[in-house]
Each structure stands twice: as structure tokens, then as C-alpha cells.
Coordinates of all heavy atoms in Angstrom, one line a residue:
M1 N -31.3 5.6 155.3 CA -30.9 6.7 154.4 C -29.4 6.4 153.9 O -28.6 6.0 154.7 CB -30.9 8.0 155.1 CG -30.4 9.2 154.3 SD -30.5 10.7 155.3 CE -29.3 11.7 154.4
Y2 N -29.2 6.5 152.6 CA -27.8 6.2 152.1 C -26.8 7.4 152.4 O -27.1 8.5 152.3 CB -27.8 6.0 150.6 CG -28.5 4.7 150.2 CD1 -29.7 4.7 149.5 CD2 -27.9 3.5 150.6 CE1 -30.3 3.5 149.2 CE2 -28.5 2.3 150.2 CZ -29.7 2.3 149.5 OH -30.2 1.1 149.2
V3 N -25.7 7.0 152.9 CA -24.6 7.9 153.0 C -23.7 7.9 151.8 O -23.4 8.9 151.2 CB -23.7 7.5 154.3 CG1 -22.5 8.4 154.4 CG2 -24.5 7.6 155.5
C4 N -23.5 6.7 151.3 CA -22.7 6.5 150.1 C -23.5 5.9 149.0 O -23.8 4.7 149.1 CB -21.5 5.6 150.4 SG -20.5 5.3 149.0
S5 N -23.9 6.6 148.0 CA -24.8 6.1 147.0 C -24.0 5.2 146.0 O -24.6 4.3 145.4 CB -25.6 7.2 146.3 OG -24.8 8.3 146.1
C6 N -22.7 5.5 145.9 CA -21.9 4.6 144.9 C -21.9 3.2 145.4 O -22.0 2.3 144.5 CB -20.5 5.1 144.9 SG -20.3 6.7 144.1
F7 N -21.9 2.9 146.7 CA -21.8 1.5 147.1 C -23.1 1.1 147.9 O -23.1 0.1 148.5 CB -20.5 1.3 148.0 CG -19.3 1.4 147.1 CD1 -18.5 2.5 147.1 CD2 -19.0 0.3 146.3 CE1 -17.4 2.6 146.3 CE2 -17.8 0.4 145.5 CZ -17.0 1.5 145.5
G8 N -24.1 2.0 148.0 CA -25.3 1.7 148.7 C -25.1 1.5 150.2 O -25.7 0.6 150.8
V9 N -24.2 2.3 150.8 CA -23.9 2.1 152.2 C -24.8 3.1 153.0 O -24.8 4.3 152.7 CB -22.4 2.4 152.5 CG1 -22.1 2.3 154.0 CG2 -21.5 1.4 151.7
T10 N -25.5 2.6 154.0 CA -26.4 3.4 154.8 C -25.7 4.0 156.0 O -24.7 3.5 156.4 CB -27.6 2.6 155.2 OG1 -27.1 1.5 156.1 CG2 -28.3 1.9 154.1
E11 N -26.4 5.0 156.5 CA -25.9 5.6 157.8 C -25.8 4.6 158.9 O -24.9 4.6 159.6 CB -27.0 6.7 158.2 CG -26.5 7.6 159.2 CD -27.5 8.8 159.4 OE1 -27.9 9.4 158.3 OE2 -27.8 9.2 160.5
K12 N -26.8 3.7 158.9 CA -26.8 2.6 160.0 C -25.5 1.8 159.8 O -24.9 1.4 160.8 CB -28.0 1.8 159.8 CG -28.3 0.8 160.8 CD -29.7 0.2 160.7 CE -29.9 -1.0 161.6 NZ -29.3 -2.3 161.2
Q13 N -25.2 1.4 158.6 CA -24.0 0.6 158.4 C -22.7 1.3 158.8 O -21.8 0.7 159.5 CB -23.9 0.2 156.9 CG -24.9 -0.9 156.5 CD -24.8 -1.1 155.0 OE1 -25.1 -0.2 154.3 NE2 -24.6 -2.3 154.7
V14 N -22.6 2.6 158.5 CA -21.5 3.4 158.9 C -21.4 3.4 160.5 O -20.3 3.2 161.0 CB -21.5 4.9 158.4 CG1 -20.4 5.7 159.0 CG2 -21.4 4.8 156.9
K15 N -22.5 3.6 161.1 CA -22.5 3.6 162.6 C -22.1 2.3 163.1 O -21.4 2.2 164.1 CB -23.9 4.0 163.1 CG -24.2 5.5 162.9 CD -25.6 5.8 163.5 CE -26.0 7.2 163.2 NZ -27.4 7.5 163.5
E16 N -22.5 1.2 162.5 CA -22.1 -0.1 163.0 C -20.6 -0.3 162.8 O -20.0 -0.9 163.7 CB -22.9 -1.2 162.2 CG -24.3 -1.3 162.6 CD -25.2 -2.2 161.7 OE1 -24.7 -2.7 160.7 OE2 -26.4 -2.3 162.0
H17 N -20.1 0.1 161.7 CA -18.6 0.0 161.5 C -17.9 0.8 162.6 O -16.9 0.4 163.1 CB -18.2 0.4 160.1 CG -18.6 -0.5 159.0 ND1 -18.3 -1.9 159.1 CD2 -19.4 -0.4 157.9 CE1 -18.8 -2.5 158.0 NE2 -19.5 -1.6 157.3
A18 N -18.4 2.0 162.8 CA -17.8 2.9 163.8 C -17.8 2.2 165.2 O -16.8 2.2 165.9 CB -18.5 4.3 163.9
E19 N -19.0 1.6 165.5 CA -19.0 0.9 166.8 C -18.1 -0.2 166.9 O -17.5 -0.6 167.9 CB -20.5 0.4 167.1 CG -21.3 1.5 167.6 CD -22.8 1.2 167.4 OE1 -23.2 0.1 167.2 OE2 -23.6 2.2 167.5
A20 N -17.8 -0.8 165.7 CA -16.9 -1.9 165.7 C -15.4 -1.5 165.6 O -14.5 -2.3 165.6 CB -17.2 -2.8 164.4
G21 N -15.2 -0.1 165.6 CA -13.8 0.4 165.8 C -13.3 1.1 164.6 O -12.2 1.6 164.6
A22 N -14.1 1.3 163.5 CA -13.7 2.1 162.4 C -13.9 3.6 162.7 O -15.0 4.1 162.6 CB -14.4 1.7 161.1
C23 N -12.8 4.2 163.0 CA -12.9 5.6 163.5 C -12.5 6.7 162.5 O -12.6 7.9 162.8 CB -12.0 5.7 164.8 SG -12.6 4.7 166.1
T24 N -12.1 6.3 161.3 CA -11.7 7.3 160.3 C -12.4 6.9 159.0 O -12.8 5.8 158.8 CB -10.2 7.3 160.1 OG1 -9.8 6.1 159.5 CG2 -9.4 7.6 161.4
P25 N -12.6 7.9 158.1 CA -13.2 7.6 156.8 C -12.4 6.5 156.1 O -13.0 5.7 155.5 CB -13.0 8.9 156.1 CG -13.1 10.0 157.2 CD -12.4 9.4 158.3
R26 N -11.1 6.4 156.3 CA -10.3 5.4 155.7 C -10.7 4.0 156.2 O -10.8 3.0 155.4 CB -8.8 5.6 155.9 CG -8.0 4.4 155.5 CD -6.5 4.7 155.4 NE -6.2 5.4 154.2 CZ -5.0 5.6 153.8 NH1 -4.0 5.2 154.6 NH2 -4.7 6.2 152.7
Q27 N -10.9 3.9 157.5 CA -11.3 2.6 158.1 C -12.7 2.2 157.7 O -13.0 1.0 157.4 CB -11.2 2.7 159.6 CG -9.7 2.7 160.1 CD -9.5 3.0 161.5 OE1 -10.3 3.7 162.1 NE2 -8.4 2.5 162.1
I28 N -13.6 3.2 157.6 CA -14.9 2.9 157.0 C -14.8 2.4 155.6 O -15.5 1.5 155.2 CB -15.8 4.2 157.1 CG1 -16.0 4.7 158.5 CG2 -17.1 4.0 156.4 CD1 -16.9 3.8 159.4
A29 N -13.9 3.0 154.9 CA -13.7 2.6 153.5 C -13.2 1.2 153.4 O -13.7 0.4 152.5 CB -12.7 3.6 152.8
S30 N -12.3 0.8 154.3 CA -11.8 -0.6 154.2 C -12.9 -1.5 154.6 O -13.0 -2.6 154.1 CB -10.6 -0.8 155.2 OG -9.8 0.3 155.3
A31 N -13.7 -1.1 155.5 CA -14.8 -2.0 156.0 C -15.9 -2.1 155.0 O -16.6 -3.2 154.9 CB -15.3 -1.5 157.3
S32 N -16.2 -1.0 154.3 CA -17.5 -1.0 153.5 C -17.3 -0.5 152.1 O -18.3 -0.5 151.3 CB -18.5 -0.2 154.2 OG -18.1 1.2 154.1
K33 N -16.1 0.0 151.7 CA -15.8 0.6 150.4 C -16.4 2.0 150.3 O -16.2 2.7 149.3 CB -16.4 -0.2 149.2 CG -15.6 -1.5 149.0 CD -16.0 -2.1 147.7 CE -15.0 -3.0 147.1 NZ -15.5 -3.5 145.8
A34 N -17.2 2.4 151.3 CA -17.9 3.8 151.2 C -16.8 4.8 151.1 O -15.8 4.8 151.9 CB -18.7 4.0 152.4
G35 N -16.9 5.7 150.1 CA -15.9 6.8 150.0 C -14.8 6.5 149.0 O -14.0 7.4 148.7
T36 N -14.8 5.3 148.4 CA -13.7 5.0 147.6 C -14.0 5.2 146.1 O -13.1 4.9 145.2 CB -13.2 3.5 147.8 OG1 -14.3 2.6 147.5 CG2 -12.7 3.3 149.2
D37 N -15.2 5.6 145.7 CA -15.4 5.9 144.3 C -15.4 7.4 144.0 O -14.4 7.9 143.8 CB -16.8 5.2 143.9 CG -16.9 5.2 142.4 OD1 -16.1 5.7 141.7 OD2 -17.9 4.6 141.9
C38 N -16.6 8.1 144.1 CA -16.5 9.5 143.8 C -16.0 10.3 144.9 O -15.6 11.5 144.8 CB -17.9 9.9 143.4 SG -19.1 10.1 144.8
G39 N -16.1 9.8 146.2 CA -15.6 10.5 147.3 C -16.5 11.6 147.9 O -16.2 12.2 148.9
S40 N -17.6 11.8 147.3 CA -18.5 12.9 147.7 C -19.1 12.6 149.1 O -19.7 13.5 149.7 CB -19.6 13.2 146.7 OG -20.5 12.1 146.7
C41 N -19.1 11.3 149.5 CA -19.7 11.0 150.8 C -18.7 11.1 152.0 O -19.1 10.9 153.1 CB -20.3 9.6 150.7 SG -19.0 8.4 150.3
V42 N -17.5 11.3 151.7 CA -16.4 11.3 152.7 C -16.7 12.3 153.9 O -16.6 11.9 155.0 CB -15.0 11.5 152.2 CG1 -14.0 11.6 153.3 CG2 -14.7 10.3 151.2
R43 N -17.2 13.5 153.5 CA -17.5 14.5 154.5 C -18.7 14.0 155.4 O -18.7 14.3 156.6 CB -17.8 15.8 153.8 CG -16.6 16.6 153.5 CD -16.9 18.0 153.0 NE -15.6 18.6 152.7 CZ -14.8 19.2 153.6 NH1 -15.1 19.2 154.9 NH2 -13.7 19.7 153.3
R44 N -19.6 13.4 154.7 CA -20.8 12.9 155.5 C -20.4 11.8 156.5 O -20.8 11.8 157.6 CB -21.9 12.4 154.5 CG -23.2 12.7 155.1 CD -24.3 13.0 154.0 NE -23.9 12.6 152.7 CZ -24.8 12.2 151.8 NH1 -26.0 12.0 152.1 NH2 -24.4 11.9 150.5
I45 N -19.5 11.0 156.0 CA -19.0 9.9 156.9 C -18.2 10.5 158.0 O -18.4 10.1 159.2 CB -18.1 8.9 156.1 CG1 -18.9 8.1 155.1 CG2 -17.3 8.0 157.0 CD1 -18.1 7.4 154.0
Q46 N -17.4 11.5 157.7 CA -16.6 12.2 158.7 C -17.6 12.8 159.8 O -17.3 12.7 161.0 CB -15.9 13.3 158.0 CG -14.4 13.5 158.5 CD -13.7 14.4 157.5 OE1 -13.4 14.0 156.4 NE2 -13.5 15.6 157.9
A47 N -18.6 13.4 159.3 CA -19.6 14.0 160.2 C -20.3 13.0 161.1 O -20.4 13.2 162.3 CB -20.7 14.8 159.4
L48 N -20.6 11.8 160.5 CA -21.2 10.8 161.3 C -20.2 10.3 162.4 O -20.6 10.0 163.5 CB -21.5 9.6 160.4 CG -22.8 9.7 159.6 CD1 -22.9 8.5 158.7 CD2 -24.0 9.7 160.5
L49 N -19.0 10.1 162.0 CA -18.0 9.7 163.0 C -17.8 10.7 164.1 O -17.5 10.3 165.2 CB -16.6 9.4 162.3 CG -16.6 8.3 161.2 CD1 -15.3 8.3 160.5 CD2 -16.9 7.0 161.9
G50 N -17.9 12.0 163.7 CA -17.7 13.0 164.7 C -18.9 13.2 165.7 O -18.8 13.9 166.6
R51 N -20.0 12.5 165.4 CA -21.2 12.7 166.2 C -21.2 11.7 167.4 O -22.3 11.4 167.9 CB -22.4 12.5 165.3 CG -23.2 13.7 165.3 CD -24.5 13.4 164.5 NE -24.5 13.8 163.2 CZ -25.2 13.3 162.2 NH1 -26.0 12.3 162.4 NH2 -25.2 13.8 161.0
G52 N -20.1 11.1 167.7 CA -20.1 10.3 168.9 C -20.3 8.8 168.6 O -20.5 8.0 169.5
N53 N -20.3 8.4 167.3 CA -20.4 7.0 167.0 C -19.2 6.2 167.3 O -19.2 5.0 167.5 CB -20.9 6.8 165.6 CG -22.2 7.4 165.4 OD1 -23.2 7.0 166.0 ND2 -22.3 8.4 164.5
C54 N -18.1 6.9 167.2 CA -16.8 6.3 167.4 C -16.2 6.5 168.8 O -16.1 7.6 169.2 CB -15.8 6.8 166.4 SG -14.2 6.0 166.7
P55 N -16.0 5.4 169.5 CA -15.5 5.6 170.9 C -14.1 6.3 170.9 O -13.8 6.8 172.0 CB -15.3 4.1 171.4 CG -15.9 3.3 170.3 CD -16.1 4.0 169.1
R56 N -13.4 6.3 169.9 CA -12.0 6.9 169.9 C -12.0 8.2 169.1 O -11.0 8.6 168.5 CB -11.0 5.9 169.3 CG -10.8 4.7 170.3 CD -9.7 3.9 169.8 NE -10.1 3.2 168.5 CZ -9.2 2.9 167.5 NH1 -8.0 3.2 167.6 NH2 -9.7 2.3 166.5
R57 N -13.1 8.9 169.1 CA -13.2 10.1 168.1 C -12.3 11.2 168.5 O -12.0 12.1 167.7 CB -14.6 10.5 167.9 CG -15.2 11.4 169.0 CD -16.6 11.7 168.6 NE -16.8 13.1 168.8 CZ -17.5 13.6 169.8 NH1 -17.9 12.9 170.8 NH2 -17.7 14.9 169.9
E58 N -11.8 11.2 169.7 CA -10.9 12.3 170.1 C -9.6 12.3 169.2 O -9.0 13.3 168.9 CB -10.5 12.3 171.6 CG -9.8 11.1 172.1 CD -10.7 9.9 172.4 OE1 -11.9 10.0 172.2 OE2 -10.2 9.0 173.0
L59 N -9.3 11.1 168.7 CA -8.1 11.0 167.8 C -8.4 11.8 166.5 O -7.5 12.5 165.9 CB -7.9 9.6 167.4 CG -7.4 8.7 168.5 CD1 -7.2 7.3 168.0 CD2 -6.1 9.2 169.1
L60 N -9.7 11.8 166.1 CA -10.1 12.5 164.9 C -9.9 14.0 165.1 O -9.5 14.8 164.2 CB -11.6 12.3 164.6 CG -11.9 11.1 163.7 CD1 -13.4 11.0 163.5 CD2 -11.2 11.1 162.4
D61 N -10.4 14.4 166.3 CA -10.3 15.9 166.6 C -8.9 16.4 166.6 O -8.6 17.5 166.2 CB -10.9 16.2 168.0 CG -12.4 15.8 168.1 OD1 -13.0 15.8 167.0 OD2 -12.9 15.6 169.1
Q62 N -7.9 15.5 166.9 CA -6.5 15.9 166.8 C -5.9 15.8 165.4 O -4.9 16.3 165.1 CB -5.7 15.0 167.7 CG -6.0 15.1 169.2 CD -5.5 13.9 170.0 OE1 -4.7 13.1 169.5 NE2 -5.9 13.8 171.2
G63 N -6.6 15.1 164.5 CA -6.0 14.7 163.3 C -6.6 15.2 162.0 O -6.5 14.5 161.0
M64 N -7.2 16.4 162.0 CA -7.8 16.9 160.8 C -6.9 17.0 159.6 O -7.3 16.5 158.5 CB -8.5 18.2 161.0 CG -9.9 18.0 161.7 SD -10.8 16.7 161.0 CE -12.4 16.8 161.8
P65 N -5.7 17.5 159.7 CA -4.8 17.5 158.5 C -4.5 16.1 158.0 O -4.5 15.9 156.8 CB -3.5 18.2 159.0 CG -4.0 18.9 160.3 CD -5.1 18.1 160.9
A66 N -4.4 15.2 158.9 CA -4.1 13.8 158.5 C -5.3 13.2 157.8 O -5.2 12.5 156.8 CB -3.8 12.9 159.7
L67 N -6.5 13.6 158.2 CA -7.7 13.2 157.5 C -7.8 13.7 156.1 O -8.2 12.9 155.2 CB -9.0 13.7 158.3 CG -9.5 12.8 159.4 CD1 -10.8 13.5 159.9 CD2 -9.9 11.5 158.8
T68 N -7.4 14.9 155.9 CA -7.4 15.5 154.6 C -6.5 14.6 153.7 O -6.8 14.3 152.6 CB -7.0 16.9 154.6 OG1 -7.7 17.6 155.6 CG2 -7.2 17.6 153.3
A69 N -5.3 14.3 154.3 CA -4.4 13.5 153.5 C -5.0 12.1 153.2 O -4.8 11.6 152.1 CB -3.1 13.3 154.4
E70 N -5.7 11.6 154.1 CA -6.4 10.3 153.8 C -7.4 10.4 152.7 O -7.4 9.5 151.8 CB -7.1 9.8 155.1 CG -6.2 9.2 156.1 CD -7.0 8.7 157.3 OE1 -8.2 8.6 157.2 OE2 -6.3 8.4 158.3
V71 N -8.1 11.5 152.6 CA -9.1 11.6 151.6 C -8.3 11.7 150.2 O -8.7 11.1 149.2 CB -9.9 12.9 151.8 CG1 -10.7 13.2 150.6 CG2 -10.8 12.8 153.0
T72 N -7.2 12.4 150.2 CA -6.4 12.5 149.0 C -5.9 11.1 148.6 O -6.0 10.6 147.4 CB -5.1 13.4 149.2 OG1 -5.6 14.6 149.7 CG2 -4.4 13.6 147.9
D73 N -5.5 10.3 149.6 CA -5.0 8.9 149.3 C -6.1 8.1 148.7 O -5.9 7.3 147.8 CB -4.6 8.3 150.6 CG -3.3 8.8 151.1 OD1 -2.6 9.6 150.4 OD2 -2.9 8.5 152.3
L74 N -7.3 8.3 149.3 CA -8.5 7.5 148.8 C -8.7 7.8 147.3 O -8.9 6.8 146.5 CB -9.7 7.8 149.6 CG -9.8 7.2 150.9 CD1 -11.1 7.6 151.6 CD2 -9.8 5.7 150.8
S75 N -8.7 9.1 146.9 CA -9.0 9.3 145.5 C -7.9 8.8 144.6 O -8.1 8.3 143.5 CB -9.1 10.8 145.2 OG -9.0 11.6 146.4
E76 N -6.6 8.8 145.1 CA -5.5 8.2 144.4 C -5.7 6.7 144.2 O -5.4 6.2 143.1 CB -4.2 8.5 145.0 CG -3.7 10.0 144.8 CD -2.6 10.3 145.6 OE1 -2.0 9.5 146.3 OE2 -2.2 11.6 145.6
A77 N -6.2 6.1 145.2 CA -6.4 4.7 145.2 C -7.5 4.2 144.3 O -7.5 3.2 143.8 CB -6.6 4.1 146.6
A78 N -8.5 5.1 144.1 CA -9.7 4.7 143.4 C -9.5 4.7 141.8 O -8.5 5.0 141.3 CB -10.8 5.8 143.6
Ligands
FES1 S1 -21.1 8.4 147.3 FE1 -19.6 7.4 148.4 S2 -18.0 7.1 147.0 FE2 -19.5 8.1 145.8

């Protein structure tokens, strides 16, 4: 199932990147470009990361405002 239809990135790929250490939507974006076009998949990526795929996800739990800032940065970069 696709998470990011702009770049054809699947849920499985996001999980693989998360296992490899990509713990934020920005890191997923650097690894796969997912989330860097329309941005509508960023929340879904965030949800996937929050489901225990990322070994360091407690950082995410502490950093929600920072995450919002990252999403803004992504749209600016696109
Ligand atoms: S669906 Fe992922 S950037 Fe558009």
C-alpha cells in the first residue's frame, strides 16, 4: 500500500527506512523523498513512525512542535 503517492513510496519502504534509523518525517524524506511534494502523506508517515517502527521514537514524543516546524521546512524546500 502506498503511503506517498507522489513518489510511489510504500508503507513497507517507510518501515524499512525507520528500521535503518530514519526516525522523523524529515529523515524519511531524505531517504526516500516521501513527503517532499504535496506533503499530504507526512501525517501518515508520522503515524507509521509512531507505531513502534523507529527504535528512537521517544524523541518524536518529545518533539511534536519541532516536527511541525519540519513539515513547514519541507513545504518551503519543495
Ligand atoms: S503524497 Fe507524499 S508528497 Fe504527495
Side-chain angles (χ1 to χ4, degrees):
M1 179 182 158
Y2 287 114
V3 174
C4 176
S5 41
C6 291
F7 292 102
V9 178
T10 62
E11 192 167 317
K12 186 169 174 279
Q13 288 173 300
V14 170
K15 285 180 184 169
E16 283 166 3
H17 289 306
E19 276 159 22
C23 295
T24 65
R26 168 171 281 189
Q27 288 170 331
I28 296 288
S30 321
S32 69
K33 287 189 162 184
T36 58
D37 194 354
C38 74
S40 69
C41 57
V42 172
R43 279 188 180 278
R44 214 146 15 144
I45 291 168
Q46 223 167 288
L48 279 173
L49 295 173
R51 243 188 260 154
N53 295 300
C54 176
R56 291 185 291 147
R57 80 179 227 260
E58 65 275 8
L59 294 178
L60 274 182
D61 296 337
Q62 295 162 11
M64 279 316 186
L67 269 184
T68 312
E70 283 183 9
V71 171
T72 309
D73 288 351
L74 282 177
S75 2
E76 282 169 10

